Amino acid sequence: MSSRAVPSRRSIVVAAAWGVPVVAVATAVPAAAAASGTVLSFSAAAYQAAACSMISGATVRAESNGTALAGVVVSLHLSAGYAFALGGASATVTTDTDGTAPCGDILVPASGVAGTLTATAATATSAAAALSATPTHRLVSTPSGTTAVTAVPAAAVPVSGEFFLDGQTLFRHGVGAVQTDVVAVGALAESPSKNGSFLLPLRLADGSAVVFDTATTTASPATGTPAGATPVAADLFLSGTTLYRGGVAVASDVAATGQLVEHEQGSGPTGRFHLPFRATDGTPRLYRSPADEVRTAFEFGQPAGPPAGATPVAGDLFAADGSLYRVSWDGSTPYPTGAIASAIQAWGTLTPNPFFSGQRLLPVRTTGGDAAVVFVSTGRTRVVAQVPSGASPIGADLFLSGSTVYQADVGARITDVGQIGQPVPIAAGASRIVVPVSAAAPQC
């Protein structure tokens, strides 16, 4: 008896717009089948639908020398957790007068793992088609653009830039697995060596510290770093209250760290990267890489400087009591120091301004719930439009409200977002920012 399931309301058409091309699976041809001349084939080489939804429209065909064969009993089999709507991973169908038979709706598992639909019949050449879930990950760019992520498992979690973590395996968009045994990940940041690469600090399952280089696509051991150290950013790790770089202690009495950012002195990048941190005694300090120098913020203790206990934000920025403070290394700076913004409740990642080269943006939420951006160079704060009140700042000009990512003065960019990773420039010196996101976890 043929299995002719009625498509459900959640059925998705084959090869959806966001579908990722999949290569059909090759199968061996039995000698008897070759002799009979009966050949089975599917209506498509690959089928896709969202996880926990139905693939519909798949049909199998039997023919001999181009002539359709009716009454051929075909056995269908599914792998990797895919299931027929009527239940089970196997079904039997019989071809009609046109030589075809519908396969019925196929449920895509929540994992979204790749699977196979196989058709066999007595003394016939078998057929196989690839099954997969439509991409659940996206790269949201600003000022514009959204890219479907490939070569990353559906269950992976966005980390930063093009990187995702699935269990203990690190994946990269378009590449696949790049590192195994990963149990902790820090912030992706441009290499202080200014060689065009970005560095991602990792802690492995054995407690060791390694640094993944995006240019060489290899992870190098941070020999000398204490086992179990926490990855911070680029090639920096924190063990207890001591900051390590290259296995060498470079700062002590570290209680909390902010975002590692290349310092800018009004004439462009300087090649010096600042990591703001709060010392164990509450003083705001700056660590400078690659020189491995540490100083207390020059403005600390001055009337306009940040107070003890201030929270490190990014680069030369600290926050305290709703105000955002800029500090300097030695008092020499072309920008105003002291409080540069007030009534700040939350902030996102500091990034280059996607619209104007040479500027930097810090998205914030004000104490009144408004979405705003701080132009860090000038210290000007601007409340933005088309972003819901109370939205959480992400990075650049992007905000999250519920499960929707909004762009300042643009509105909703992408919906059904479950998780968000770290925003980063697409390349060293670039102003275009990319944020990895994953869809809300499906419930089957």
Side-chain angles (χ1 to χ4, degrees), residues 1-436:
M1 181 179 295
S2 65
S3 173
R4 298 172 182 265
V6 177
S8 69
R9 294 180 62 187
R10 300 180 64 198
S11 293
I12 308 298
V13 295
V14 176
W18 284 108
V20 179
V22 183
V23 178
V25 178
T27 57
V29 180
S36 73
T38 301
V39 177
L40 300 179
S41 63
F42 285 108
S43 53
Y47 301 95
Q48 281 188 332
C52 293
S53 64
M54 295 289 183
I55 291 173
S56 64
T59 60
V60 63
R61 175 182 171 84
E63 64 177 37
S64 177
N65 297 320
T67 301
L69 299 178
V72 177
V73 179
V74 180
S75 296
L76 302 174
H77 301 279
L78 299 170
S79 70
Y82 287 79
F84 290 103
L86 296 181
S90 299
T92 300
V93 297
T94 302
T95 59
D96 210 335
T97 55
D98 62 353
T100 68
C103 298
D105 285 353
I106 299 170
L107 176 64
V108 180
S111 65
V113 66
T116 306
L117 170 62
T118 304
T120 59
T123 66
T125 302
S126 61
L131 303 176
S132 62
T134 50
T136 58
H137 310 297
R138 303 282 187 272
L139 299 180
V140 180
S141 299
T142 177
S144 63
T146 302
T147 303
V149 171
T150 62
V152 174
V157 175
V159 174
S160 60
E162 298 181 334
F163 292 91
F164 295 76
L165 189 65
D166 183 38
Q168 294 187 356
T169 302
L170 185 69
F171 288 82
R172 188 176 189 177
H173 161 57
V175 177
V178 294
Q179 179 65 45
T180 58
D181 298 324
V182 178
V183 296
V185 183
L188 183 67
E190 185 179 354
S191 171
S193 64
K194 296 292 289 181
N195 61 355
S197 70
F198 281 70
L199 303 179
L200 185 66
L202 309 170
R203 184 173 74 238
L204 303 186
D206 62 1
S208 63
V210 301
V211 178
F212 183 85
D213 187 310
T214 61
T216 63
T217 66
T218 58
S220 301
T223 306
T225 303
T230 300
V232 178
D235 52 358
L236 299 174
F237 294 82
L238 186 66
S239 180
T241 58
T242 302
L243 189 69
Y244 288 82
R245 177 171 177 263
V248 177
V250 294
S252 58
D253 300 323
V254 179
T257 61
Q259 179 189 344
L260 180 70
V261 176
E262 185 174 11
H263 185 56
E264 204 272 321
Q265 275 287 88
S267 58
T270 61
R272 297 188 294 269
F273 290 74
H274 284 184
L275 179 79
F277 71 91
R278 183 177 67 241
T280 52
D281 63 0
T283 59
R285 298 182 185 175
L286 297 173
Y287 159 75
R288 177 185 281 180
S289 181
D292 296 331
E293 301 171 318
V294 175
R295 282 191 182 181
T296 297
F298 182 83
E299 289 71 20
F300 178 62
Q302 300 181 17
T311 300
V313 177
D316 53 7
L317 301 177
F318 289 81
D321 303 321
S323 293
L324 190 66
Y325 293 84
R326 178 190 281 117
V327 300
S328 65
W329 184 259
D330 56 9
S332 175
T333 174
Y335 304 120
T337 57
I340 62 171
S342 59
I344 304 301
Q345 184 181 75
W347 55 86
T349 299
L350 178 66
T351 70
N353 187 328
F355 297 92
F356 298 99
S357 178
Q359 296 185 8
R360 290 176 177 173
L361 279 185
L362 182 70
V364 300
R365 182 175 66 238
T366 69
T367 52
D370 292 327
V373 291
V374 177
F375 296 85
V376 173
S377 298
T378 62
R380 182 172 69 91
T381 302
R382 181 175 72 84
V383 173
V384 301
Q386 299 194 53
V387 177
S389 175
S392 300
I394 299 173
D397 57 348
L398 299 176
F399 298 80
L400 178 68
S401 180
S403 59
T404 301
V405 172
Y406 290 83
Q407 185 172 7
D409 305 322
V410 174
R413 283 287 310 276
I414 186 171
T415 59
D416 194 32
V417 173
Q419 294 175 301
I420 294 180
Q422 174 203 353
V424 294
I426 60 170
S431 58
R432 188 177 187 84
I433 308 302
V434 62
V435 184

